[in-house]
Protein backbone atom coordinates (compact mmCIF):
# COMPACT_ATOMS: atom_id res chain seq x y z
CA UNK A 1 0.00 0.00 0.00
CA UNK A 2 2.88 2.36 0.79
CA UNK A 3 4.53 1.54 -2.54
CA UNK A 4 1.28 2.41 -4.31
CA UNK A 5 1.08 5.73 -2.52
CA UNK A 6 4.61 6.73 -3.55
CA UNK A 7 3.77 6.15 -7.22
CA UNK A 8 0.59 8.25 -7.15
CA UNK A 9 0.49 12.04 -7.53
CA UNK A 10 0.36 14.18 -4.41
CA UNK A 11 -3.26 15.29 -4.95
CA UNK A 12 -4.34 11.65 -5.24
CA UNK A 13 -2.54 10.78 -2.02
CA UNK A 14 -4.47 13.51 -0.22
CA UNK A 15 -7.75 12.05 -1.43
CA UNK A 16 -6.72 8.55 -0.35
CA UNK A 17 -6.99 9.70 3.28
CA UNK A 18 -10.70 10.16 2.62
CA UNK A 19 -11.41 7.45 0.05
CA UNK A 20 -10.01 4.50 2.02
CA UNK A 21 -11.89 5.16 5.31
CA UNK A 22 -15.03 6.03 3.34
CA UNK A 23 -14.82 2.77 1.42
CA UNK A 24 -14.33 0.84 4.66
CA UNK A 25 -17.34 2.55 6.23
CA UNK A 26 -19.51 1.74 3.21
CA UNK A 27 -18.31 -1.86 3.34
CA UNK A 28 -19.18 -2.10 7.05
CA UNK A 29 -22.68 -0.72 6.41
CA UNK A 30 -23.23 -3.11 3.50
CA UNK A 31 -22.13 -6.14 5.55
CA UNK A 32 -24.39 -5.05 8.44
CA UNK A 33 -27.36 -4.66 6.08
CA UNK A 34 -26.68 -8.04 4.46
CA UNK A 35 -26.25 -9.76 7.83
CA UNK A 36 -29.52 -8.31 9.08
CA UNK A 37 -31.42 -9.58 6.05
CA UNK A 38 -29.91 -13.07 6.37
CA UNK A 39 -30.69 -13.32 10.09
CA UNK A 40 -34.24 -12.05 9.59
CA UNK A 41 -34.79 -14.68 6.91
CA UNK A 42 -33.47 -17.38 9.24
CA UNK A 43 -35.77 -16.20 12.04
CA UNK A 44 -38.76 -16.10 9.66
CA UNK A 45 -38.14 -19.66 8.47
CA UNK A 46 -37.61 -20.93 12.02
CA UNK A 47 -40.80 -19.21 13.22
CA UNK A 48 -42.77 -20.75 10.35
CA UNK A 49 -41.34 -24.20 11.12
CA UNK A 50 -42.04 -24.05 14.87
CA UNK A 51 -45.27 -22.00 14.47
CA UNK A 52 -43.98 -19.14 16.61
CA UNK A 53 -46.52 -16.25 16.80
CA UNK A 54 -45.76 -12.77 15.51
CA UNK A 55 -45.81 -11.38 19.07
CA UNK A 56 -42.57 -13.27 19.69
CA UNK A 57 -40.97 -12.84 16.26
CA UNK A 58 -41.17 -9.04 16.27
CA UNK A 59 -39.10 -8.56 19.49
CA UNK A 60 -36.51 -11.07 18.22
CA UNK A 61 -36.12 -9.15 14.95
CA UNK A 62 -35.83 -5.91 16.89
CA UNK A 63 -33.11 -7.33 19.13
CA UNK A 64 -31.14 -8.59 16.16
CA UNK A 65 -31.48 -5.26 14.35
CA UNK A 66 -30.27 -3.18 17.31
CA UNK A 67 -27.33 -5.50 18.02
CA UNK A 68 -26.17 -5.21 14.41
CA UNK A 69 -26.67 -1.43 14.40
CA UNK A 70 -24.67 -1.02 17.62
CA UNK A 71 -21.83 -3.20 16.33
CA UNK A 72 -21.73 -1.37 12.99
CA UNK A 73 -21.74 2.01 14.76
CA UNK A 74 -18.73 1.02 16.88
CA UNK A 75 -16.79 -0.12 13.80
CA UNK A 76 -17.68 3.06 11.90
CA UNK A 77 -16.55 5.25 14.79
CA UNK A 78 -13.29 3.33 14.92
CA UNK A 79 -12.75 3.91 11.18
CA UNK A 80 -13.43 7.61 11.72
CA UNK A 81 -10.56 7.85 14.17
CA UNK A 82 -12.28 7.52 17.53
CA UNK A 83 -9.94 5.95 20.08
CA UNK A 84 -10.46 2.29 20.87
CA UNK A 85 -10.10 3.11 24.57
CA UNK A 86 -13.02 5.53 24.37
CA UNK A 87 -15.09 2.95 22.52
CA UNK A 88 -14.27 0.26 25.08
CA UNK A 89 -15.15 2.60 27.97
CA UNK A 90 -18.47 3.46 26.33
CA UNK A 91 -19.16 -0.22 25.63
CA UNK A 92 -18.46 -1.29 29.23
CA UNK A 93 -20.68 1.55 30.50
CA UNK A 94 -23.56 0.49 28.27
CA UNK A 95 -22.96 -3.15 29.23
CA UNK A 96 -23.14 -2.28 32.94
CA UNK A 97 -26.39 -0.38 32.48
CA UNK A 98 -27.75 -3.25 30.39
CA UNK A 99 -26.81 -5.80 33.06
CA UNK A 100 -28.57 -3.75 35.76
CA UNK A 101 -31.66 -3.42 33.58
CA UNK A 102 -31.51 -7.16 32.82
CA UNK A 103 -31.58 -8.15 36.49
CA UNK A 104 -34.25 -5.51 37.24
CA UNK A 105 -36.52 -6.99 34.54
CA UNK A 106 -35.54 -10.61 35.14
CA UNK A 107 -39.10 -11.78 35.82
CA UNK A 108 -40.36 -10.27 32.57
CA UNK A 109 -37.42 -11.62 30.56
CA UNK A 110 -37.82 -15.09 32.08
CA UNK A 111 -41.46 -15.11 30.96
CA UNK A 112 -40.36 -14.10 27.45
CA UNK A 113 -37.78 -16.89 27.33
CA UNK A 114 -40.27 -19.45 28.67
CA UNK A 115 -42.78 -18.32 26.03
CA UNK A 116 -40.15 -19.15 23.40
CA UNK A 117 -39.68 -22.58 25.00
CA UNK A 118 -43.44 -23.22 25.04
CA UNK A 119 -43.69 -22.51 21.31
CA UNK A 120 -40.61 -24.63 20.45
CA UNK A 121 -40.76 -27.54 22.92
CA UNK A 122 -44.59 -27.67 22.73
CA UNK A 123 -45.42 -29.14 26.18
CA UNK A 124 -49.03 -28.18 25.42
CA UNK A 125 -50.95 -26.18 22.84
CA UNK A 126 -54.06 -24.05 22.62
CA UNK A 127 -57.13 -26.22 23.20
CA UNK A 128 -55.44 -28.71 25.56
CA UNK A 129 -56.73 -29.28 29.07
CA UNK A 130 -53.91 -28.96 31.60
CA UNK A 131 -53.47 -28.63 35.35
CA UNK A 132 -50.56 -26.72 36.91
CA UNK A 133 -49.64 -28.39 40.21
CA UNK A 134 -47.25 -27.60 43.05
CA UNK A 135 -46.82 -31.35 43.51
CA UNK A 136 -48.43 -34.36 41.89
CA UNK A 137 -50.54 -35.01 45.03
CA UNK A 138 -52.10 -31.56 45.48
CA UNK A 139 -54.73 -30.09 43.12
CA UNK A 140 -53.83 -26.99 41.16
CA UNK A 141 -55.02 -24.60 38.48
CA UNK A 142 -56.98 -26.62 35.93
CA UNK A 143 -58.53 -25.52 32.66
CA UNK A 144 -58.41 -25.35 28.88
CA UNK A 145 -55.58 -23.38 27.28
CA UNK A 146 -57.19 -20.49 25.38
CA UNK A 147 -54.20 -18.17 24.81
CA UNK A 148 -50.40 -18.11 25.06
CA UNK A 149 -48.68 -14.72 24.85
CA UNK A 150 -45.26 -13.36 25.79
CA UNK A 151 -46.04 -13.17 29.51
CA UNK A 152 -49.00 -15.40 30.40
CA UNK A 153 -50.65 -18.69 29.59
CA UNK A 154 -54.41 -18.19 29.94
CA UNK A 155 -56.65 -21.06 31.04
CA UNK A 156 -60.45 -21.20 31.01
CA UNK A 157 -61.08 -22.14 34.63
CA UNK A 158 -62.43 -25.68 34.80
CA UNK A 159 -63.40 -25.28 38.46
CA UNK A 160 -65.73 -22.30 37.96
CA UNK A 161 -69.47 -22.63 38.41
CA UNK A 162 -71.57 -23.70 35.45
CA UNK A 163 -73.16 -20.25 35.04
CA UNK A 164 -69.83 -18.38 35.29
CA UNK A 165 -66.84 -18.01 32.96
CA UNK A 166 -63.46 -17.33 34.56
CA UNK A 167 -59.89 -17.31 33.28
CA UNK A 168 -56.63 -18.14 35.00
CA UNK A 169 -53.53 -16.20 33.86
CA UNK A 170 -50.41 -18.17 34.75
CA UNK A 171 -46.95 -16.63 34.17
CA UNK A 172 -45.02 -18.62 31.60
CA UNK A 173 -42.03 -19.01 33.93
CA UNK A 174 -44.31 -20.67 36.49
CA UNK A 175 -45.21 -23.38 33.98
CA UNK A 176 -41.58 -24.58 33.94
CA UNK A 177 -41.34 -24.44 37.76
CA UNK A 178 -44.39 -26.59 38.48
CA UNK A 179 -45.74 -30.00 37.56
CA UNK A 180 -48.02 -29.82 34.51
CA UNK A 181 -50.67 -32.50 34.09
CA UNK A 182 -51.99 -32.81 30.55
CA UNK A 183 -55.38 -34.47 30.06
CA UNK A 184 -56.37 -36.58 27.09
CA UNK A 185 -59.79 -35.12 26.45
CA UNK A 186 -61.92 -33.19 28.94
CA UNK A 187 -61.08 -33.76 32.63
CA UNK A 188 -63.88 -34.80 35.02
CA UNK A 189 -65.82 -31.93 36.65
CA UNK A 190 -64.66 -31.02 40.15
CA UNK A 191 -66.82 -31.81 43.16
CA UNK A 192 -68.01 -28.50 44.63
CA UNK A 193 -68.20 -28.29 48.42
CA UNK A 194 -71.78 -26.94 48.27
CA UNK A 195 -72.95 -29.92 46.24
CA UNK A 196 -71.20 -32.27 48.65
CA UNK A 197 -72.96 -30.66 51.64
CA UNK A 198 -76.35 -30.88 49.91
CA UNK A 199 -75.76 -34.53 49.11
CA UNK A 200 -74.85 -35.20 52.73
CA UNK A 201 -78.05 -33.47 53.95
CA UNK A 202 -80.28 -35.35 51.50
CA UNK A 203 -78.81 -38.73 52.42
CA UNK A 204 -80.94 -40.72 54.93
CA UNK A 205 -79.76 -40.54 58.49
CA UNK A 206 -78.15 -43.63 59.89
CA UNK A 207 -80.25 -45.47 62.52
CA UNK A 208 -79.16 -44.91 66.12
CA UNK A 209 -77.19 -47.70 67.70
CA UNK A 210 -79.22 -50.24 69.72
CA UNK A 211 -78.34 -50.36 73.39
CA UNK A 212 -78.57 -53.84 74.90
CA UNK A 213 -81.31 -54.11 77.55
CA UNK A 214 -83.03 -56.75 79.59
CA UNK A 215 -85.66 -57.45 76.88
CA UNK A 216 -83.38 -57.46 73.80
CA UNK A 217 -80.27 -59.41 73.22
CA UNK A 218 -77.36 -57.93 71.29
Amino acid sequence: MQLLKTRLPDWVQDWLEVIIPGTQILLILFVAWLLQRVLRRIVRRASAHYQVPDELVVPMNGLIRWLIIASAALLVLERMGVSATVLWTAFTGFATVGAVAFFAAWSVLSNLFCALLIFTVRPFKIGDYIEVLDTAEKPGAKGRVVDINLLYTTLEDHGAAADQVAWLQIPNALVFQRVVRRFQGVPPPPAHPANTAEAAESAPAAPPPVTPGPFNTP
Side-chain angles (χ1 to χ4, degrees):
M1 191 68 181
Q2 295 296 332
L3 181 60
L4 179 62
K5 286 184 178 181
T6 56
R7 294 184 178 182
L8 294 175
D10 294 337
W11 65 272
V12 177
Q13 295 182 14
D14 295 336
W15 278 101
L16 286 178
E17 300 296 332
V18 179
I19 294 174
I20 293 178
T23 304
Q24 292 175 345
I25 291 174
L26 292 177
L27 183 60
I28 290 172
L29 295 177
F30 174 74
V31 172
W33 174 79
L34 183 62
L35 182 61
Q36 180 182 353
R37 287 183 60 88
V38 171
L39 291 179
R40 289 186 64 179
R41 182 173 298 179
I42 292 175
V43 170
R44 185 170 63 252
R45 291 184 178 179
S47 62
H49 178 73
Y50 291 105
Q51 298 180 357
V52 180
D54 294 337
E55 291 83 0
L56 193 60
V57 175
V58 172
M60 292 175 61
N61 287 329
L63 179 62
I64 292 173
R65 181 175 63 254
W66 285 109
L67 285 177
I68 294 176
I69 290 175
S71 302
L74 292 177
L75 292 176
V76 168
L77 290 175
E78 184 182 2
R79 293 295 93 192
M80 294 177 64
V82 181
S83 174
T85 304
V86 176
L87 293 177
W88 178 252
T89 304
F91 175 76
T92 53
F94 282 120
T96 303
V97 174
V100 173
F102 176 81
F103 285 107
W106 169 249
S107 59
V108 176
L109 294 176
S110 62
N111 287 325
L112 293 175
F113 180 71
C114 290
L116 177 62
L117 290 179
I118 290 175
F119 285 112
T120 54
V121 180
R122 312 287 288 182
F124 52 83
K125 62 183 182 298
I126 294 178
D128 290 346
Y129 284 87
I130 65 172
E131 184 176 9
V132 182
L133 311 166
D134 288 335
T135 61
E137 291 80 13
K138 297 181 180 180
K142 183 192 301 182
R144 182 172 62 91
V145 181
V146 295
D147 183 52
I148 303 172
N149 56 29
L150 297 180
L151 298 179
Y152 297 102
T153 296
T154 304
L155 306 181
E156 185 179 358
D157 190 5
H158 189 70
D163 56 344
Q164 294 180 350
V165 179
W167 289 273
L168 302 172
Q169 287 187 318
I170 303 174
N172 293 326
L174 193 64
V175 174
F176 288 90
Q177 299 172 5
R178 298 290 186 267
V179 179
V180 177
R181 176 181 292 158
R182 184 176 178 182
F183 295 92
Q184 185 176 4
V186 181
H192 296 283
N195 296 338
T196 305
E198 293 176 0
E201 292 177 358
S202 61
V210 179
T211 305
F215 298 103
N216 51 8
T217 57

